[in-house]
Every structure is written in structure tokens, then in C-alpha cells.
Amino acid sequence: VVDQIQSVFAEAATMLESRVAEAQAAADGSAEEVEAGAGKVEAIAAEILATEAAIEQQRAATAEAETALKAVEKESAAAESSLKAGAKEQRRRQKDTDDVKAVKEAGLEALVAGGFSSTKEAEKACAKLTKDMTRLGAEPSLLASASAVLLKPAEERQGFDAVVIESLRGVLTERLAAAEAALAAGVATAEALEADVAARAASAQERRRERDGHVQALARLRGDLAEQRGRRSAAEADVEALRATHSEKVGAVADAQEEVQSLKHSRETLESLATRSAAAPPAEDVAIAAA
């Protein structure tokens, strides 16, 4: 009977040892999974650090591009302002040129040609010419003789009168040449300003594209960072679940080992009882000895 019981114990021990081995293998496998999961978390954390560093660099580059754009836009606005001011000045120059032409054609030449309907109209035109010529810088001494010369009929004018008229024409010709020269210079200046405005506008557009590129790159990096943080959270949750599973499997190993120890203890107890039983004398021998 003892031999049969020991055989049962042996079979049970074999089964329990197999369970312990299987449980240990499962625990070791789950430990490897935990380690792999932790490694994945560390790898994602490294990605996050790299992305955060890239974001800082990109933020600085974006700020620098924004500053450069504002500087160019300020210069472009100043150039446009200069162009507008130049256009206003050019309109004034054109008005001055037209004014000198009007004084010469409608004023001086009309009086030289005569043909006014009345002496009063001629005197009125002469007074206006004197006022205009004074404004244009004619000498007072020349203007003092101009009225008398210009109000004479053409056929009554003498050599001195012709000198006065040519002097008046000379003043107006000089003023007209200066006005036209200023007008031409204004055209050249306007062309240069237009070219400068166009160049600065192109530069501002380029800087704006660069700024926008940096802004987009920064947005992409921030999107990458959000995605990486999400993956890290998911990976950390996976590791926690793996650790819980590993803990359960380690517990299963401990339980199996405890059953092995319990079986071992029972077997040892049985063997001890069997040994003591085998060593005791038969009951008949004890009775004979007592007689």
C-alpha cells in the first residue's frame, strides 16, 4: 500500500514540477514582454525629447523669420509712402510747368499779338501778366517797362520795345526750361521709386513665404509631438497591463511551488511513518516477550 501511495505522490510531483516549469516559462515570457514594453516607452520618450528640441529651434527660426518680415514690410511701406509723396510732388511740378506755359501763351504772347476787344481788357491782361511775372521772379525794372510796351499797338513798337518783349520771353523760357527739367527729373525719380517699391514688395513676399513655411513646420512638429505623447500614454498603459499580467504569472509560479512544497512535505511525512512502521516488532513477538 505504501508503495502505491508513493507512486501516486511521484506522479503528482511530476505533474506539479511540470506546472511550475510552465508557470515559470509563462512568467519569464511576460517579464520579457514588460521589458520590451518599457523599452518602447523609453524609445518614444526619446522621440519626444528630440521633437521638443526641434520645436524650440523651429520656434526661434519662426520668430526670426517674423522679425525679418516685419522689417521688410516696414521698408516696403516707407518706399510706397515715398512713391506717393513723389507722385504728389510730380503733380505739383506738372502744374508749375502748365502754369508757366499758360503765362507765356495766354499772357505774354497774347499781349504781344494784340487783338483784345477793348483797352480795358488789354490792361486787365497786362496787370495779370505783371503779377504772374513777379511771382516767377522777373526783375521789377523789366516789369516797369513791360506794361507800356505791351499795351502799344504792334505797329507802334520800336527797337527798345522789342528788347523788352524778348527779355520777358527769356524769363519765361528760362522758367519753363527749369520747370520741364524738374518734371523730367521727377519722372526718373518716380521710375526709380516704382522699381524700388516692386523690389521691396517681392522681397516682402519672399520673406512672407519663408515665415509661412516656418509656421507650417512648427505646426507639423507640434502635431508630431501630440501624436508621440499619445503613443507614449498608450505604451505606458500597455506596460502597466503587462506588469499586472506578469504579477499574476509570478503569483501562479509561487502557488505551484507552494503546492510542490506541500506535496513534498506530505511525502516526507508518509515516508517517515512507513519507516517507523517497518522498524516496529510484530505484535506476536511483543506478546511472547511479555510472557
Side-chain angles (χ1 to χ4, degrees), residues 206-226:
E206 180 62 26
R207 293 291 181 274
R208 195 171 292 108
R209 280 195 294 268
E210 292 177 1
R211 188 277 313 275
D212 292 345
H214 285 297
V215 169
Q216 292 167 5
L218 183 59
R220 285 194 297 271
L221 285 171
R222 285 172 172 164
D224 291 344
L225 182 61

Side-chain angles (χ1 to χ4, degrees), residues 32-54:
E32 292 176 358
E33 290 178 350
V34 169
E35 184 177 356
K40 183 178 179 181
V41 170
E42 290 179 0
I44 297 173
E47 289 181 29
I48 290 173
L49 287 176
T51 301
E52 287 174 341

Side-chain angles (χ1 to χ4, degrees), residues 112-113 148-162 165:
V112 170
V149 171
L150 293 173
L151 290 175
K152 285 182 181 181
E155 64 275 10
E156 294 181 9
R157 293 171 186 156
Q158 303 297 320
F160 174 75
D161 298 333
I165 290 172

Side-chain angles (χ1 to χ4, degrees), residues 74-86:
K74 184 177 181 180
E75 293 172 355
S76 181
E80 289 180 359
S81 179
S82 296
L83 181 61
K84 290 179 181 178

Side-chain angles (χ1 to χ4, degrees), residues 16 43 58 85 116 144 162 172 183 190 201 203 213 229 234 241 250 262 271:
L16 287 175
Q58 189 58 55
F116 287 93
L172 291 174
L183 189 62
S203 178
R229 286 174 172 170
V250 169
S262 177
E271 289 176 350

Side-chain angles (χ1 to χ4, degrees), residues 68-129:
L69 172 60
K70 287 181 178 179
V72 172
E73 286 179 336
K74 184 177 181 180
E75 293 172 355
S76 181
E80 289 180 359
S81 179
S82 296
L83 181 61
K84 290 179 181 178
K88 182 179 180 180
E89 183 64 17
Q90 190 68 350
R91 289 193 294 272
R92 186 194 62 76
R93 294 189 188 102
Q94 184 64 59
K95 183 176 180 301
D96 290 345
T97 301
D98 294 342
D99 184 48
V100 175
K101 288 180 178 179
V103 171
K104 186 174 185 295
E105 300 298 331
L108 177 60
E109 296 302 334
L111 285 166
V112 170
F116 287 93
S117 59
S118 66
T119 301
K120 184 176 181 181
E121 285 188 10
E123 289 175 348
K124 182 179 179 181
C126 190
K128 184 177 185 307
L129 176 65

